[in-house]
Amino acid sequence: MDTASLYVDAGMASGIRLRENDELARSPKLPEDKLQMFSSGGPQAHFEDFLGRHSMRVRAGEQISFGTYFNGFPASYWRRWTSVRDIRLEVRTRGTGTVTVYKSNARGSLQRVDGQHVDGATTSTFQLSLKPFGDGGWYWFDLASSSGELVLEHAEWQTAGGEAAKGQVTLEITTMNKPDFCLNNARILSENPDVLENVKEILIVDQGTQKVEDQKGFADVRDALGGKLRIINQANLGGSGGFARGMYEAVENGSDYVLLLDDDVVVEPESIDRLLTFADHCRKPTIVGGHMFDLYSRSVLHTFGEVVDPFRIVPAAPHSDMEVRHDFSVANLRQTPWLHRRVDVDYNGWWMCLIPTKIIKDIGLSLPLFIKWDDAEYGLRAREAGYATVSMPGAAVWHVSWLDKDDLVGWQSYFHERNRLITTLIHSPYKRGGRVLRESVQADVKHLVSMQYFTQHGRIEALKDIFKGPHELHKVLGTKLPEINALKAEYPDAQVREDVDDFPAPKIGRGPLGGAPIGMPSKKELVPWGIKTVARQLVEAPNAESAERPQGFLAHRDNRWFRLAHYDSIVVSNAEGTGASWYRRDPKKLKSMLIEATALHLRIYREWDTLAEQYRNAVADITSLDAWKKTFDAGSGDRK
């Protein structure tokens, strides 16, 4: 029931107009009856009224709306990207009541379109135009029962011209020691055979030591999938190596598409059919991705779409009014105006992404980046070749939240730094990459004054490896991570202990700045603060006692560079909540790493044009099927 708000809405739709009235919405004396429109304490759908995947009961005298994420029709996306201009809604009901069709525009304003009184077993059909949906808007329908219950037996959004021939898709999951997730998704697919009609093959690229095929129940799931499941065991080549293998195999087996899926997800199986149907109707080959909901807070959407800021080469929201981590249980589709504006994106995360093999044959496979930036870079490369990416509402997975991760610290910092720079060298339209080098230097300073020396070591290695050139990427794809992890023994900040009591007890004291609250410096104060802080950490020796006992304990949510910079020694918990590390200030490391990182940035700045030309010229070669086949063959395992 924690996902019910994604499928049905029993609340009021008029709240959307209240949200547009800023003065009223901000009023501290908002009337109680108006306030109820925003709360989750209003009318609710009942568990026992869900009669199956496609059927629902509306109790006597009640109304249910299907103007929701999974059941509304995202008309503006079909209007923009496909050749379809008219659709048909077919609703089969049993009982007495009404079926009412609504639409919205890009501003989120609701309009009644059509309706029909129903009595007994009835099929209601509505012919609907997509012409007025140029910038945004949805279609949906509501059911209202009369004195008795009304049962929705089935409903479909259909193209007016009938069913188009669907292409064949290879569904590929890349996994690394998450066999339980993989087997669960394979089981979900086996229990929904209707969505597998056009799935040519289900491919699991297993790069871990905990094998999916060794899990209890694997044989039953394999048999239930009727011979469509294949496992490829290969060396750990990261996400890009696993997904590139899926792309490669889809081309080789003659599929029209490859659908890439992360391993730590739960898939809504209907999404597979929706992505495929939409892609088949697109006017030209188009990458079509699904959205990501939080696996542990299932009504929360990660983002509605992302672009790459070309000046900074960082992910960004396409519109300023778009919310990150929107909770549909608090404000559903009909109550949230910004969800009705079409969002055009640069890329879609590879947690769920459908790519036509025509595009793969044209622009190649993933860059050999291991992890980080492979999906964004591919979207940018496709766009430059004339292929769009669409993040499609109504198709999604539930994925482990980013809130439980901090991938800018630790071993992943190497891949973040290197791959962001490579993406910038290849795609930035600005001289010397816009702000990227400046922000990279700033990040170095933040990590160093925060005593995150292992993280900074990885970032320095990333800068060095930029000069080794693009053809080195395939060579180090399977070896770089072990090299980075081998350095952990040299850095206390990289060593995690499960219990804070494993560290010496913090000494009693008021803490830095006499115990006063430590806030982030303003933008105007940032440069003077940075100079002063680095100078102090270079010149001032750490407190002698801080090497033996930490000055305190810092929760991860308080683990910010402007606070850490004031400590000589501090125990910090990790993002997952599974352990903590002891950070200790080392002026010698700060000095040597700062000098080395600065020199490397200056060299990249001077050689930028040469490096950019080198990487751009190599893209076609290092992403080719032949180049990847050599890497696969070098790291191949048993095929099943």
Side-chain angles (χ1 to χ4, degrees):
M1 288 301 292
D2 54 355
T3 65
S5 59
L6 303 179
Y7 296 88
V8 296
D9 185 1
M12 307 245 335
S14 55
I16 195 168
R17 291 175 174 81
L18 182 60
R19 288 174 67 91
E20 289 178 336
N21 187 330
D22 292 339
E23 184 177 351
L24 181 58
R26 289 195 301 265
S27 172
K29 297 181 179 180
L30 196 64
E32 191 67 29
D33 61 329
K34 300 295 185 185
L35 187 63
Q36 196 123 27
M37 295 177 183
F38 298 103
S39 74
S40 56
Q44 299 289 317
H46 304 279
F47 174 79
E48 58 270 24
D49 292 337
F50 291 93
L51 306 179
R53 286 279 289 163
H54 304 285
S55 182
M56 184 177 182
R57 174 176 55 232
V58 182
R59 297 184 177 191
E62 292 189 359
Q63 180 170 335
I64 289 288
S65 177
F66 293 87
T68 56
Y69 177 84
F70 278 122
N71 280 319
F73 184 80
S76 64
Y77 291 81
W78 282 79
R79 169 71 171 80
R80 170 65 180 87
W81 300 108
T82 77
S83 55
V84 177
R85 286 298 173 265
D86 298 285
I87 61 168
R88 180 173 54 246
L89 170 63
E90 186 177 280
V91 183
R92 295 206 315 266
T93 54
R94 176 168 41 84
T96 304
T98 58
V99 181
T100 309
V101 181
Y102 293 90
K103 71 176 181 179
S104 64
N105 58 23
R107 297 185 301 278
S109 298
L110 278 62
Q111 302 172 26
R112 183 184 185 279
V113 178
D114 201 354
Q116 182 174 327
H117 177 76
V118 294
D119 189 7
T122 308
T123 298
S124 305
T125 303
F126 304 92
Q127 304 294 335
L128 305 168
S129 173
L130 297 183
K131 289 182 180 178
F133 293 93
D135 294 327
W138 295 64
Y139 275 121
W140 66 89
F141 68 94
D142 290 5
L143 294 182
S145 62
S146 184
S147 56
E149 69 180 28
L150 177 64
V151 175
L152 171 68
E153 294 191 328
H154 192 77
E156 280 187 348
W157 301 101
Q158 304 169 346
T159 52
E163 186 77 9
K166 288 185 179 178
Q168 294 287 302
V169 60
T170 290
L171 192 156
E172 188 271 341
I173 302 173
T174 295
T175 187
M176 170 67 178
N177 292 339
K178 292 190 175 71
D180 49 344
F181 272 102
C182 277
L183 190 61
N184 181 56
N185 279 314
R187 184 177 292 111
I188 290 172
L189 295 173
S190 70
E191 294 169 352
N192 292 271
D194 52 318
V195 304
L196 298 180
E197 182 181 348
N198 296 96
V199 174
K200 191 181 189 77
E201 185 175 37
I202 298 169
L203 180 65
I204 295 177
V205 178
D206 196 336
Q207 303 185 137
T209 55
Q210 302 172 33
K211 296 298 183 182
V212 175
E213 57 196 325
D214 295 334
Q215 292 296 295
K216 182 180 179 180
F218 171 78
D220 292 338
V221 173
R222 178 197 59 204
D223 295 344
L225 288 170
K228 289 192 174 185
L229 178 63
R230 179 162 66 102
I231 303 251
I232 293 181
N233 293 308
Q234 69 177 26
N236 182 17
L237 305 178
S240 63
F243 291 132
R245 187 61 178 263
M247 295 176 179
Y248 178 89
E249 298 291 337
V251 171
E252 289 292 296
N253 69 22
S255 292
D256 300 293
Y257 305 95
V258 61
L259 177 57
L260 307 178
L261 286 172
D262 256 343
D263 56 354
D264 52 349
V265 303
V266 173
V267 64
E268 162 51 80
E270 175 74 14
S271 301
I272 298 169
D273 202 31
R274 293 183 181 187
L275 292 178
L276 187 58
T277 301
F278 183 84
D280 280 335
H281 284 88
C282 285
R283 291 190 293 271
K284 61 188 301 185
T286 302
I287 298 172
V288 188
H291 288 133
M292 174 186 127
F293 284 89
D294 188 336
L295 183 61
Y296 301 126
S297 185
R298 294 201 173 192
S299 59
V300 175
L301 177 69
H302 169 58
T303 179
F304 210 50
E306 291 180 301
V307 296
V308 175
D309 182 331
F311 192 51
R312 300 178 58 215
I313 308 296
V314 293
H319 309 303
S320 60
D321 59 347
M322 194 178 84
E323 297 175 14
V324 176
R325 292 191 58 78
H326 176 76
D327 190 344
F328 281 83
S329 70
V330 175
N332 219 317
L333 177 66
R334 298 180 302 155
Q335 295 95 37
T336 312
W338 67 263
L339 285 169
H340 297 256
R341 179 179 180 179
R342 192 188 68 247
V343 174
D344 296 334
V345 302
D346 286 337
Y347 70 100
N348 196 95
W350 284 352
W351 48 73
M352 184 180 216
C353 192
L354 185 81
I355 304 175
T357 51
K358 287 182 180 179
I359 295 180
I360 297 171
K361 293 173 184 177
D362 187 11
I363 71 171
L365 283 66
S366 169
L367 277 177
L369 299 179
F370 195 77
I371 59 168
K372 306 302 175 188
W373 283 98
D374 44 3
D375 48 10
E377 188 283 327
Y378 199 85
L380 294 176
R381 194 180 348 145
R383 187 188 66 181
E384 291 172 4
Y387 301 110
T389 297
V390 177
S391 290
M392 186 67 184
V397 296
W398 287 270
H399 191 289
V400 176
S401 169
W402 306 144
L403 292 182
D404 297 326
K405 301 179 181 180
D406 186 359
D407 53 12
L408 292 176
V409 175
W411 63 269
Q412 296 184 72
S413 65
Y414 167 88
F415 297 102
H416 261 297
E417 175 72 353
R418 186 197 66 178
N419 298 346
R420 181 189 180 197
L421 284 171
I422 289 173
T423 303
T424 307
L425 287 164
I426 295 171
H427 297 290
S428 176
Y430 293 95
K431 186 177 181 180
R432 292 188 172 89
R435 279 181 59 98
V436 171
L437 288 180
R438 177 182 172 183
E439 291 186 358
S440 179
V441 172
Q442 291 172 343
D444 286 341
V445 173
K446 289 178 181 179
H447 288 300
L448 285 169
V449 300
S450 300
M451 302 170 284
Q452 294 166 344
Y453 304 120
F454 173 68
T455 294
Q456 185 56 29
H457 188 134
R459 290 174 56 83
I460 288 172
E461 289 300 311
L463 295 171
K464 291 178 180 177
D465 286 353
I466 290 292
F467 297 104
K468 295 180 180 179
H471 289 91
E472 188 73 9
L473 295 173
H474 273 286
K475 298 177 184 177
V476 302
L477 194 58
T479 61
K480 183 54 68 173
L481 178 57
E483 289 176 15
I484 295 170
N485 282 333
L487 299 169
K488 288 183 178 180
E490 302 175 21
Y491 295 94
D493 57 285
Q495 297 165 27
V496 179
R497 298 185 183 181
E498 291 186 4
D499 197 327
V500 293
D501 290 335
D502 292 337
F503 300 100
K507 64 180 181 179
I508 299 175
R510 293 181 298 171
L513 300 183
I518 302 174
M520 185 169 66
S522 67
K523 191 174 181 179
K524 183 179 180 181
E525 299 168 334
L526 194 57
V527 172
W529 180 94
I531 294 172
K532 181 180 177 181
T533 301
V534 171
R536 180 185 64 80
Q537 288 204 7
L538 285 171
V539 175
E540 186 178 298
N543 184 292
E545 191 178 0
S546 67
E548 304 298 327
R549 299 174 64 187
Q551 291 174 285
F553 175 84
L554 206 59
H556 180 264
R557 64 175 296 169
D558 299 320
N559 176 7
R560 303 293 302 279
W561 52 271
F562 53 84
R563 291 194 184 97
L564 288 169
H566 293 282
Y567 287 91
D568 287 338
S569 173
I570 185 76
V571 174
V572 181
S573 63
N574 62 12
E576 296 81 6
T578 57
S581 300
W582 188 359
Y583 291 9
R584 281 172 276 190
R585 187 162 70 85
D586 187 333
K588 291 182 179 179
K589 280 190 173 69
L590 168 64
K591 181 179 180 180
S592 63
M593 287 183 166
L594 187 60
I595 290 173
E596 187 173 15
T598 302
L600 288 166
H601 278 100
L602 287 171
R603 183 183 170 191
I604 291 175
Y605 181 83
R606 290 193 300 266
E607 299 179 22
W608 184 271
D609 292 341
T610 301
L611 288 168
E613 183 178 8
Q614 184 181 6
Y615 277 87
R616 287 170 183 167
N617 290 341
V619 168
D621 181 30
I622 63 177
T623 63
S624 67
L625 272 72
D626 289 341
W628 270 107
K629 185 177 187 303
K630 293 176 183 177
T631 299
F632 297 144
D633 290 344
S636 63
D638 297 326
R639 294 166 61 103
K640 291 184 180 288

